[in-house]
Amino acid sequence: MPTAVKTESDARLSGFREVQRLAYECAEAVAAQLKPGVTEREAARMQREWLRERGVRDWFHLPFAWFGDRTAFVNFRIPLQFFPTNRRLEAGMPFILDMAPVYKGFTADIGYSGCLGLNPVHDRLLADLEAHRELILREVRERRPLREIYEDVDRLMVRQGYANRHRAYPFGVIAHKVDQVKERRWSPNVFGFGTQSLKGLASDALHGHRDGWSPLWSPYKFSDHPPRPGLWAVEPHLGFRGTGAKFEEILVVTDSKDPEQSAFWLDDDLPHVRRWAEEKAA
């Protein structure tokens, strides 16, 4: 029986890994096509079309694109400001592509940071994100409360000289749980979010509230509990004077007593991880 359970678990993780890689492949393909004059709305549409051509029919949320100071959520006050606009890309301008497709019933939520040409500030932000990936994994393995880990991420950003921009997201979340959803022929969305995924998150929130945990990883009291087993889409987001950068990828949390198996990043073959490795090799 244990072998069968492990095989099933491995197969399940393979499904999430496949959709996450597909999403990052989309981000790299669209980023390679960006040029001066392209709008956020056009970049978001390019992501949608690329993924639909490859079989994506449902979403946790539809693709976003942010250009220039919008990568740092400058003056963002209401949720509608997150949606793509007619802001046009310019040379030297940073951008973020963010998408959350559902493929074969598996969900991913990724964030890809890039820049159209040279931008030393953006390069520094991307390099400094590596320390956040390491800190988050280490403290999740230590089973520190999510709220405390959030605060440690905040403190690291301050030491680096940056502002916390994930705090601008609804509920200030740095992460949220993702899961499988049933494949359906027709999958509607509300305000850009897939109804099936929202139902799953709401169900987790209901059960979690009863049992003392939350599917949202925030700076608030409802996240004052140890990491809950499951898959979490984690997105530390740094900001500095109108330039923002982040990564978003899946962190797997288990109930294993082995520290290395208790939490691990789903995939280390991702663009930002490869970039850090190349920088070290150079």
Side-chain angles (χ1 to χ4, degrees):
M1 181 64 74
T3 304
V5 170
K6 186 178 187 303
T7 304
E8 182 184 9
S9 177
D10 288 349
R12 186 167 179 267
L13 290 184
S14 293
F16 285 103
R17 193 175 294 110
E18 181 182 16
V19 64
Q20 181 169 265
R21 286 189 176 181
L22 183 70
Y24 266 111
E25 190 181 338
C26 171
E28 290 188 298
V30 170
Q33 298 174 56
L34 295 180
K35 57 188 179 182
V38 171
T39 68
E40 290 179 347
R41 284 179 179 157
E42 288 168 341
R45 186 176 68 246
M46 290 161 72
Q47 294 171 71
R48 285 198 308 272
E49 290 175 351
W50 193 97
L51 287 166
R52 281 177 178 150
E53 285 171 4
R54 286 154 183 82
V56 170
R57 295 292 177 268
D58 195 6
W59 311 84
F60 179 80
H61 68 69
L62 291 169
F64 294 104
W66 303 300
F67 296 166
D69 63 4
R70 283 174 52 78
T71 60
F73 299 158
V74 171
N75 296 323
F76 277 33
R77 298 283 183 270
I78 58 173
L80 288 176
Q81 290 175 288
F82 287 94
F83 288 95
T85 68
N86 286 321
R87 169 70 65 89
R88 293 187 183 277
L89 196 59
E90 300 172 12
M93 191 177 267
F95 60 83
I96 295 176
L97 306 177
D98 187 305
M99 68 198 85
V102 176
Y103 183 63
K104 300 179 182 176
F106 296 94
T107 308
D109 195 350
I110 71 113
Y112 178 91
S113 293
C115 193
L116 195 67
L118 298 175
N119 185 320
V121 172
H122 188 260
D123 288 345
R124 185 74 253 165
L125 285 165
L126 279 180
D128 285 343
L129 276 167
E130 183 178 14
H132 292 275
R133 191 175 190 262
E134 293 169 351
L135 181 150
I136 289 165
L137 178 60
R138 181 175 67 252
E139 297 199 352
V140 167
R141 284 176 170 174
E142 292 169 358
R143 293 299 191 249
R144 300 272 302 281
L146 295 182
R147 189 181 185 187
E148 285 185 19
I149 302 173
Y150 191 110
E151 291 167 352
D152 285 345
V153 169
D154 244 359
R155 281 188 278 268
L156 175 56
M157 288 184 182
V158 170
R159 289 199 300 274
Q160 292 174 324
Y162 303 131
N164 173 344
R165 298 319 299 141
H166 48 264
R167 194 175 283 271
Y169 288 105
F171 304 106
V173 298
I174 190 174
H176 59 83
K177 282 194 77 188
V178 294
D179 214 330
Q180 289 175 261
V181 298
K182 289 181 181 176
E183 287 189 271
R184 294 195 173 161
R185 191 170 296 176
W186 184 63
S187 301
N189 62 80
V190 178
F191 297 113
F193 285 80
T195 54
Q196 289 199 93
S197 295
L198 285 178
K199 273 191 234 171
L201 202 60
S203 175
D204 270 353
L206 188 64
H207 292 125
H209 179 70
R210 195 168 55 215
D211 299 334
W213 64 276
S214 171
L216 302 178
W217 182 343
S218 82
Y220 302 114
K221 191 173 180 180
F222 60 75
S223 292
D224 206 359
H225 61 81
R228 178 82 177 183
L231 281 74
W232 295 80
V234 183
E235 52 183 331
H237 192 152
L238 311 180
F240 181 77
R241 296 180 183 173
T243 298
K246 72 167 185 171
F247 66 79
E248 185 172 12
E249 58 173 303
I250 292 175
L251 178 70
V252 183
V253 180
T254 75
D255 54 10
S256 172
K257 302 299 181 187
D258 178 351
E260 290 195 5
Q261 291 302 312
S262 67
F264 51 90
W265 295 105
L266 178 65
D267 193 351
D268 282 322
D269 188 17
L270 299 178
H272 49 283
V273 182
R274 291 196 297 268
R275 177 189 174 103
W276 297 327
E278 288 163 7
E279 286 172 350
K280 284 175 185 171

